[in-house]
């Protein structure tokens, strides 16, 4: 642990820390552009210059200099001030003065640091360099003249995303950042380069010229586009969500989010259900709330009622529905819309036990039936990190383009019972072996066989649990904790032929099987569920209600309400509360606080942020066989919000189906 | 330095170069280049392979050769590396031609020592012969480019034509070299100064004169 002196204060820094990190530990701000904690060190912006003794009598780039015992570092000397002014002046030489029309304005590193460390005026009066625009796809808007050549985007695409598609062509002053032949960036995480870009060279295309950062209300939220539960910041103005940015949470999403989580939000203002609808003579007719509640009450379901939870739901909604269904005398709850019926008697068996941060440290990983890149891009990033640390990855399932190598063993689940020798050997000899069971394998009943592997290879050992299930729905773990699972899956609900079926944002259900039921759809988008419903009650999307979400690791997280739902739409729990009155049953809560208190009383883990404990992994066993297809057919269109989003539709058409949208040269 | 740009990726370009592959001679060299690097670091051979590809194209087209996009893709496939990384290398180094060049690629050094010794005259002589920086002449014989220092400052001014340097030039000497090349003969590369062998001092040494006849220890005289 080297001891260094920063501006006269002696501190001890971790072995391997850089001078920049040492300065930060000492509480000094070091300006930087190219340095980023999660990327490799480039050292090409020269903004982080400090004075270090012993060493050459000149400013040194602190980001690339290891901190060593006895160093004296100065960040406040005249030399450092001049060096920073010089670096800033050079950076600004070719940077256009277009801040008033630049989307980065107000949150631009260059702007902020020019204010803090710059000279105040330029001495340069030659012509500035100009760079032609580069097409980078439907999500990333480029203004390459603003680029300061920090290469963060290049390093992100190579190191984090694992898809080498952004590069720096030519050299010196003529260097240009571009995708290969200006093709669209084809990766599920590509838009993170927008956050990484310290200037306005790469900005968000859908958000272009929408707002200034200081106009926006920032609300802390949780992403529901997949089961990872990425921490997001919802930026809204008035009643509209304008953009979503990742929040830093090293346990979950580090500081990335998937493109879908980031850009599906323009679907929040389209195809919305903003008033109740009742089906009359086969057509949905607009109605008032009173008429809608009266129509539900008229069903007189008695105890013949069931509820299906959709993929995007918060726990409070599911709990309120559970209370309502329970008050009516039924316990028919199900959240696995597509008919999965895996055993949920132990939630440890259906949880991502390694945790996302933990899977990085695994040294042998067997992935069964999961296209991780499409189903959980954030986990894919972790897997790539694991492989870069030396982990070996084997996959069972149809082949897909991994970003971390890996060996495809075949696509028949019977392989679980007879793993090839070298795979079994790798797992047996690994210190931290892991198995990841994906949704496709769950659907084919491979959970038992997977648990069999867990005991065979001792995946659970001191300080390590390598048995993981990777879900696809943000609501899944919360739903399972609240009892949204029947032994036979949704087939039990079909067999019960309920008179009243509450469809809570459930858009993936085959409603033809519920032809005899009155389907009440409580949701926010006019998608498949609303099309099949007899009564539609407009509810709130994830940005329009506070709620508790549990991600596939069993991590309980709270989201806040960012905006109000449009039109007559209400928060889901108030609808369910009012339905209880309409049906004449008590549910035991009158406010959101009472609802949450009741939920926490019933499932205490939902009241505590962090990992919920699910106890020991049960013994498994069993046999699975057969081939399968991955459930995510179109990454950009997996939920009703994304399906309504023009941005996601265009991504799907352009990036997955190859339609050509490249803009003609002007 | 002239502005470099990639030749546009057109269907015609794909049709012409899409089927590019190393011929057996260059393929053997490429394999030898790759074998110089350890397993896992084989992509380091990219620079050699790009050079070989350019030279093979040079042989095919009777020019110095150049690197069309499909050929860079071929090299990327050959080394199993992302194409963008190959393009980065090819665009960084000016010895890789990104657009077609003529039979003779005349690269005139215009950096300070050459300029002081008269590279402007050399440039003017080239232009007088119809060459234009960054362009190939109509007969496909000459491509002219101004480049930065080639490290021949002791025998400035100089031009590099394909693989050979011609140094100690004047406009007349350059014209002679170019005439010889155009006539299909091979003028002597290196210095064009009569009586000069390489870059030894003209008119005999002016310093360390006692070293001429034998080894001499100057240390006592310092």
């Amino acid at each position: 642990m080297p001891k260094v002196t920063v501006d006269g204060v002696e501190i001890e820094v971790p072995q391997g820390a850089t001078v920049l990190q040492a300065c930060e530990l000492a509480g000094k701000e070091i300006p930087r552009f190219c340095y980023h904690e999660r990327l490799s060190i480039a050292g090409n912006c020269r903004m982080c210059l400090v004075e270090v003794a012993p060493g050459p009598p000149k400013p040194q780039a602190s980001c690339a200099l290891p901190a060593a015992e006895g160093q004296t570092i100065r960040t406040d000397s005249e030399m450092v001030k001049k060096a920073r002014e010089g670096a800033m002046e050079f950076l600004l030489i070719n940077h256009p003065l277009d801040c008033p029309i630049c989307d980065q304005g107000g949150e631009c590193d260059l702007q902020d640091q020019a204010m803090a460390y710059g000279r105040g005026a330029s001495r340069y009066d030659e012509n500035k360099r100009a760079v032609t625009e580069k097409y980078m796809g439907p999500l990333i808007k480029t203004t390459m003249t603003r680029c300061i050549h920090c290469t963060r985007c290049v390093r992100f695409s190579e190191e984090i995303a694992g898809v080498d598609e952004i590069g720096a062509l030519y050299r010196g002053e003529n260097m240009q950042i571009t995708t290969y032949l200006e093709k669209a960036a084809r990766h599920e995480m590509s838009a993170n380069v927008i956050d990484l870009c310290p200037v306005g060279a790469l900005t968000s295309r859908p958000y272009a010229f929408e707002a200034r950062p200081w106009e926006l209300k920032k609300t802390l939220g949780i992403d529901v586009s997949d089961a990872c539960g990425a921490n997001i910041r919802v930026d809204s103005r008035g009643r509209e969500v304008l953009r979503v940015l990742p929040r830093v949470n090293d346990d979950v999403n580090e500081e990335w989010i998937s493109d879908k989580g980031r850009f599906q939000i323009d679907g929040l203002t389209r195809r919305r259900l903003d008033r109740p609808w009742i089906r009359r003579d086969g057509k949905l007719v607009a109605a008032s709330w009173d008429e809608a509640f009266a129509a539900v009450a008229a069903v007189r379901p008695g105890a013949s009622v069931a509820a299906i939870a959709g993929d995007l739901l918060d726990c409070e909604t599911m709990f309120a529905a559970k209370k309502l269904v329970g008050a009516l005398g039924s316990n028919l709850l199900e959240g696995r819309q597509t008919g999965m019926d895996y055993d949920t008697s132990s939630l440890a068996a259906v949880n991502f036990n390694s945790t996302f941060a933990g899977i990085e440290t695994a040294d042998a990983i067997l992935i069964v039936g999961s296209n991780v890149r499409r189903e959980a891009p954030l986990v894919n990033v972790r897997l790539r990190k694991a492989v870069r640390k030396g982990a070996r990855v084997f996959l069972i399932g149809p082949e897909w383009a991994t970003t971390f190598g890996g060996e495809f063993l075949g696509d028949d689940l019977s392989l679980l019972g007879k793993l090839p020798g070298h795979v079994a050997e790798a797992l047996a000899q690994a210190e931290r072996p892991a198995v990841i069971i994906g949704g496709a394998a769950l659907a084919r009943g491979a959970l038992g066989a997977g648990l069999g592997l867990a005991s065979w290879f001792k995946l659970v050992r001191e300080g390590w649990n390598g048995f993981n299930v990777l879900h696809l729905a943000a609501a899944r773990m919360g739903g399972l904790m609240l009892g949204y699972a029947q032994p036979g899956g949704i087939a039990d609900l079909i067999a019960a032929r309920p008179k009243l079926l509450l469809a809570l944002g459930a858009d993936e259900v085959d409603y033809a099987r519920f032809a005899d039921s009155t389907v009440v759809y409580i949701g926010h988008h006019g998608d498949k569920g609303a099309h099949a419903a007899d009564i539609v009650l407009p509810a709130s999307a994830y940005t329009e209600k506070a709620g508790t979400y549990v991600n596939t690791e069993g991590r309980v997280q709270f989201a806040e309400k960012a905006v109000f739902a449009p039109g007559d739409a209400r928060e889901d729990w108030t609808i369910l509360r009012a339905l209880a009155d309409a049906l004449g049953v008590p549910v035991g809560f009158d406010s959101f606080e009472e609802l949450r208190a009741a939920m926490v009383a019933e499932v205490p883990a939902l009241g505590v942020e962090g990992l919920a404990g699910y106890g020991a992994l049960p013994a498994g066993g069993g046999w699975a066989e057969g081939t399968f297809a991955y459930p995510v057919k179109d990454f950009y269109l997996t939920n009703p919000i994304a399906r309504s989003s023009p941005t996601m539709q265009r991504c799907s058409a352009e990036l997955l189906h190859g339609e050509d949208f490249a803009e003609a040269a002007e | 330095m002239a502005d470099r740009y990639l030749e546009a990726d057109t269907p015609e370009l794909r049709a012409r170069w899409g089927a590019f592959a190393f011929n057996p001679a260059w393929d053997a060299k490429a394999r030898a280049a790759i074998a110089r690097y350890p397993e896992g670091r084989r992509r380091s051979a990219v620079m050699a392979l790009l050079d070989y590809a350019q030279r093979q194209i040079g042989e095919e087209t009777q020019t110095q050769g150049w690197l069309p996009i499909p050929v860079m893709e071929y090299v990327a496939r050959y080394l199993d590396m992302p194409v963008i990384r190959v393009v980065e290398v090819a665009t960084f180094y000016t010895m890789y031609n990104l657009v077609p060049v003529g039979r003779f690629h005349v690269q005139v050094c215009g950096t300070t020592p050459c300029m002081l010794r008269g590279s402007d005259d050399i440039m003017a002589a080239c232009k007088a012969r119809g060459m234009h920086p960054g362009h190939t002449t109509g007969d496909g014989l000459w491509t002219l480019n101004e480049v930065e220092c080639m490290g021949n400052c002791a025998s400035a001014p100089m031009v590099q034509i394909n693989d050979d340097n011609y140094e100690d030039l004047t406009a007349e000497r350059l014209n002679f070299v170019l005439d010889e090349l155009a006539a299909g003969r091979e003028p002597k590369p290196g210095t064009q100064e009569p009586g000069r062998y390489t870059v030894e001092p003209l008119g005999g040494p002016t310093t360390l004169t006692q070293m001429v006849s034998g080894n001499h220890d100057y240390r006592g005289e310092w």
Side-chain angles (χ1 to χ4, degrees):
Chain A
M1 299 270 283
K3 276 198 184 69
V4 299
T5 311
V6 181
D7 292 348
V9 182
E10 190 177 75
I11 56 158
E12 202 169 327
V13 299
Q15 195 69 46
T18 62
V19 169
L20 187 145
Q21 285 164 336
C23 294
E24 288 203 321
L25 282 173
K28 302 290 172 188
E29 189 187 62
I30 304 290
R32 86 285 302 266
F33 295 108
C34 69
Y35 175 80
H36 192 276
E37 292 84 356
R38 295 175 209 280
L39 302 175
S40 65
I41 294 168
N44 50 16
C45 76
R46 315 312 287 179
M47 197 59 206
C48 62
L49 295 171
V50 296
E51 202 178 333
V52 181
K58 60 171 190 174
Q60 307 226 48
S62 59
C63 68
L65 188 68
E69 181 68 37
Q71 271 175 343
T72 310
I73 303 160
R74 292 224 69 95
T75 69
D76 54 0
S77 66
E78 189 57 28
M79 182 204 274
V80 173
K81 182 170 177 292
K82 271 189 78 177
R84 286 173 180 169
E85 285 176 1
M88 180 55 78
E89 200 176 355
F90 277 123
L91 286 173
L92 290 177
I93 272 182
N94 278 321
H95 191 82
L97 278 174
D98 61 353
C99 302
I101 57 157
C102 174
D103 257 333
Q104 194 85 351
E107 50 186 3
C108 173
D109 289 357
L110 191 65
Q111 208 175 31
D112 295 348
Q113 293 180 28
M115 288 294 291
Y117 304 103
R119 288 182 79 247
S122 175
R123 293 176 290 183
Y124 183 75
D125 54 4
E126 310 294 320
N127 289 330
K128 287 174 182 262
R129 173 206 60 176
V131 183
T132 49
E133 297 312 348
K134 304 282 183 283
Y135 183 72
M136 282 204 192
L139 301 177
I140 306 168
K141 179 172 181 278
T142 65
T143 311
M144 297 320 288
T145 302
R146 297 180 187 142
C147 176
I148 58 167
H149 301 167
C150 72
T151 69
R152 276 187 188 178
C153 50
V154 179
R155 283 174 281 148
F156 174 85
S157 77
E158 180 178 353
E159 294 161 18
I160 307 287
V163 178
D164 290 83
E165 52 186 11
I166 304 182
L169 303 192
Y170 310 105
R171 65 196 291 185
E173 188 196 33
N174 299 313
M175 185 169 134
Q176 299 183 16
I177 301 289
T178 181
T179 48
Y180 178 58
L181 296 182
E182 298 194 35
K183 287 174 184 159
R186 277 166 206 274
H187 189 260
E188 295 71 28
M189 309 273 290
S190 64
N192 286 295
V193 297
I194 296 168
D195 296 339
L196 285 171
C197 185
V199 297
L202 307 179
T203 52
S204 166
R205 191 180 284 271
Y207 173 72
F209 309 130
E210 286 281 348
R212 285 299 188 188
W214 57 83
E215 301 174 315
L216 301 171
K217 187 180 93 178
K218 286 115 181 147
T219 314
L220 307 185
I222 300 296
D223 178 36
V224 296
S225 66
D226 55 34
C228 297
N231 292 200
I232 55 172
R233 193 185 90 194
V234 181
D235 285 5
S236 57
R237 187 179 57 193
R239 300 189 68 153
E240 194 178 350
V241 175
L242 289 179
R243 65 171 176 179
V244 158
L245 296 178
R247 274 187 285 148
V248 176
N249 185 340
D250 280 338
D251 290 329
V252 184
N253 55 319
E254 301 176 277
E255 58 181 275
W256 324 120
I257 51 171
S258 72
D259 290 355
K260 184 165 52 178
R262 187 186 299 260
F263 287 118
Q264 67 177 5
I265 46 140
D266 59 350
L268 288 171
T269 53
R270 291 170 171 86
R271 292 195 205 160
R272 283 304 297 265
L273 301 170
D274 58 356
R275 59 196 306 181
W277 300 79
I278 300 174
R279 192 174 294 277
R280 294 206 173 98
D281 305 327
K283 282 184 75 170
L284 284 171
V285 182
S288 70
W289 275 106
D290 288 339
E291 289 165 354
F293 285 136
V296 179
V299 177
R300 297 181 192 284
S304 181
V305 60
I308 304 177
D311 289 346
L312 311 180
L313 287 186
D314 55 310
C315 292
E316 282 79 356
T317 302
M318 287 188 281
F319 182 75
K322 178 184 183 179
K323 281 286 149 195
L324 174 61
V325 170
L328 288 165
S330 166
N331 61 356
L332 288 172
L333 307 169
E334 180 56 65
R336 298 166 294 180
Q337 300 178 54
T338 51
M340 287 191 275
D341 57 356
Y342 49 84
D343 178 25
T344 58
S345 53
S346 163
L347 290 188
V350 291
N351 188 38
F352 202 94
N353 293 302
S354 300
T355 72
F356 295 162
I359 198 73
E360 270 181 37
T361 63
D363 47 6
I365 304 169
L366 175 66
I367 299 173
V368 187
S370 179
N371 182 340
V372 187
R373 210 176 136 178
R374 296 250 188 265
E375 294 171 14
L378 294 165
V379 177
N380 192 56
V381 168
R382 303 283 191 164
L383 289 173
R384 181 164 164 79
K385 282 169 94 173
V387 170
R388 281 166 72 93
K389 287 178 192 163
R392 297 178 66 189
V393 178
F394 308 98
L395 303 99
I396 296 177
E399 292 196 18
W400 49 280
T402 71
T403 59
F404 46 75
E407 181 187 344
F408 281 92
L409 304 175
D411 56 2
D412 197 302
L413 283 171
S414 61
L415 279 164
L416 280 176
K418 45 177 175 36
L419 285 175
H422 68 287
V423 180
E425 195 182 349
L427 283 169
Q429 290 175 351
E431 273 175 40
R432 292 162 88 89
V435 171
I436 298 176
I437 308 280
L442 283 181
R444 299 285 305 200
L447 187 61
L451 284 167
L453 287 182
S455 44
W456 182 257
F457 291 109
K458 298 190 182 58
L459 295 184
V460 185
R461 46 185 83 177
E462 184 70 36
W464 175 251
N465 186 334
F467 184 77
N468 301 305
V469 170
L470 189 55
H471 293 295
L472 285 85
R476 183 70 69 245
M477 283 312 285
L480 295 179
M481 287 168 79
L482 289 166
Y484 273 79
Q486 300 299 317
I490 208 161
D492 286 10
L493 269 63
I494 295 167
R497 300 166 69 94
K499 279 168 86 172
L500 180 64
L501 179 71
L502 297 176
L504 308 164
D507 287 300
E508 322 295 335
V509 179
D510 179 10
Y511 285 102
R513 310 292 299 275
F514 292 98
D516 300 341
S517 309
T518 301
V519 177
V520 178
Y521 181 77
I522 304 175
H524 41 80
H525 273 80
D527 207 84
K528 292 172 202 161
H531 287 300
D534 297 303
I535 300 162
V536 173
L537 304 179
S540 301
Y542 69 113
T543 52
E544 294 151 8
K545 59 190 172 191
T548 306
Y549 296 92
V550 188
N551 79 356
T552 189
E553 301 170 290
R555 187 181 300 279
V556 178
Q557 305 185 103
F558 304 138
E560 289 166 16
K561 173 175 174 166
V563 293
F564 287 95
D568 284 344
R570 295 290 179 265
E571 290 186 36
D572 304 45
W573 77 270
T574 61
I575 298 169
L576 292 158
R577 178 66 188 79
L579 262 184
D581 281 348
L583 293 164
V585 289
V587 286
F589 56 85
D590 290 318
S591 69
F592 189 68
E593 287 67 36
E594 285 178 26
L595 162 63
R596 191 169 253 175
M599 181 178 79
V600 172
E602 196 171 306
V603 188
L606 288 177
V608 190
E609 250 180 316
L611 292 173
Y614 295 126
L617 200 64
W623 178 254
E625 62 182 351
T627 57
F628 54 85
Y630 297 116
V632 176
K633 298 281 181 288
D634 190 328
F635 169 73
Y636 296 101
L637 302 175
T638 53
N639 66 53
I641 303 175
R643 284 192 285 266
S644 308
S645 152
T647 307
M648 291 293 103
Q649 288 165 6
R650 180 169 160 188
C651 282
S652 166
E654 179 172 351
L655 304 179
L656 296 178
H657 300 113
E659 282 179 40
D660 192 10
F661 284 85
E663 287 163 2
E666 286 170 28
Chain B
M1 192 172 69
D3 282 341
R4 282 160 65 78
Y5 60 93
L6 286 165
E7 184 76 0
D9 181 35
T10 58
E12 296 77 43
L13 189 81
R14 295 260 165 202
R16 173 68 184 83
W17 295 110
F20 176 88
F22 281 131
N23 64 32
W26 288 115
D27 193 65
K29 286 197 163 206
R31 292 192 184 286
I34 292 171
R36 282 180 219 142
Y37 301 97
E39 196 72 57
R41 298 267 182 262
R42 296 266 153 100
R43 318 177 157 185
S44 303
V46 65
M47 293 187 63
L49 261 65
L50 283 172
D51 181 43
Y52 298 158
Q54 177 164 308
R55 284 172 190 280
Q56 181 178 329
I57 291 176
E59 289 170 3
E60 287 174 19
T61 57
Q62 283 303 302
T63 64
Q64 197 194 20
W66 66 294
L67 292 170
I69 284 280
V71 173
M72 293 190 212
E73 287 173 356
Y74 171 79
V75 170
R77 281 197 304 277
Y78 202 97
L79 291 167
D80 190 24
M81 66 191 283
V83 192
I84 186 79
R85 299 282 162 260
V86 177
V87 182
E88 280 182 334
V89 171
T91 54
F92 187 89
Y93 293 101
T94 50
M95 287 171 80
Y96 299 120
N97 299 321
L98 301 180
V99 292
V101 292
R103 173 87 187 84
F104 300 106
H105 187 191
V106 181
Q107 304 183 72
V108 180
C109 173
T111 307
T112 317
C114 280
M115 195 199 76
L116 293 172
R117 297 273 295 159
S119 68
D120 289 355
D121 297 342
I122 306 299
M123 203 52 151
C126 291
K127 286 179 180 168
R129 293 177 70 101
M131 300 184 214
H132 184 56
H135 291 272
T136 306
T137 52
D139 56 7
L141 212 51
W142 310 106
T143 300
L144 178 64
N145 267 313
E146 180 176 338
V147 297
E148 301 305 330
C149 186
M150 298 274 219
N152 282 216
C153 310
S155 49
M158 64 84 66
V159 301
Q160 186 181 67
I161 300 177
N162 293 359
D163 286 342
D164 290 319
N165 289 355
Y166 300 92
E167 303 151 22
D168 281 322
L169 292 174
T170 60
E172 297 78 54
R173 290 174 186 170
L174 176 70
N175 275 323
F176 171 75
V177 168
L178 297 183
D179 287 338
E180 291 283 291
L181 287 170
R185 291 187 286 274
E186 288 184 13
K188 175 179 92 80
T191 177
Q192 304 298 310
E193 181 75 30
R196 202 179 188 188
Y197 179 60
T198 62
V199 292
E200 76 276 12
L202 275 174
T206 54
T207 55
L208 305 181
T209 44
Q210 294 179 67
M211 289 285 256
V212 173
S213 49
N215 198 9
H216 177 79
D217 191 352
Y218 278 101
R219 280 175 294 183
E221 301 160 34
W222 288 349

